Amino acid sequence: FPGLMKGLIASRARNVTMEMKLQALYALADLIKDDLRTDYILPDIFDNRLAPTISEAIIREAQKEKPSD
């Protein structure tokens, strides 16, 4: 996903978890939920909202998963 690596690097996550991938998918789905059509099931790769939305979802999930010190 565009934004996946950006989110991993920004959050300093050591692993990609299933929950991170799911949150990225949910964020992706939220981008197109109002425009969903049979010919539009994924946003355009050049959609400026795509990478920031995915990276923010990854960062949020990584912060939830970080162990408390």
Side-chain angles (χ1 to χ4, degrees), residues 24-41:
L25 287 171
Y26 296 143
L28 180 65
D30 282 344
L31 280 177
I32 62 163
K33 68 181 175 186
D34 294 331
D35 299 324
L36 188 60
R37 306 183 305 268
T38 57
D39 63 336
Y40 184 69
I41 59 170

Side-chain angles (χ1 to χ4, degrees), residues 6 10 12 23 25 32 37 40 42 45 47 66:
K6 181 179 178 182
R12 297 181 156 199
Q23 292 305 317
L25 287 171
I32 62 163
R37 306 183 305 268
Y40 184 69
L42 290 172
I45 192 72
D47 185 329
K66 278 191 178 174

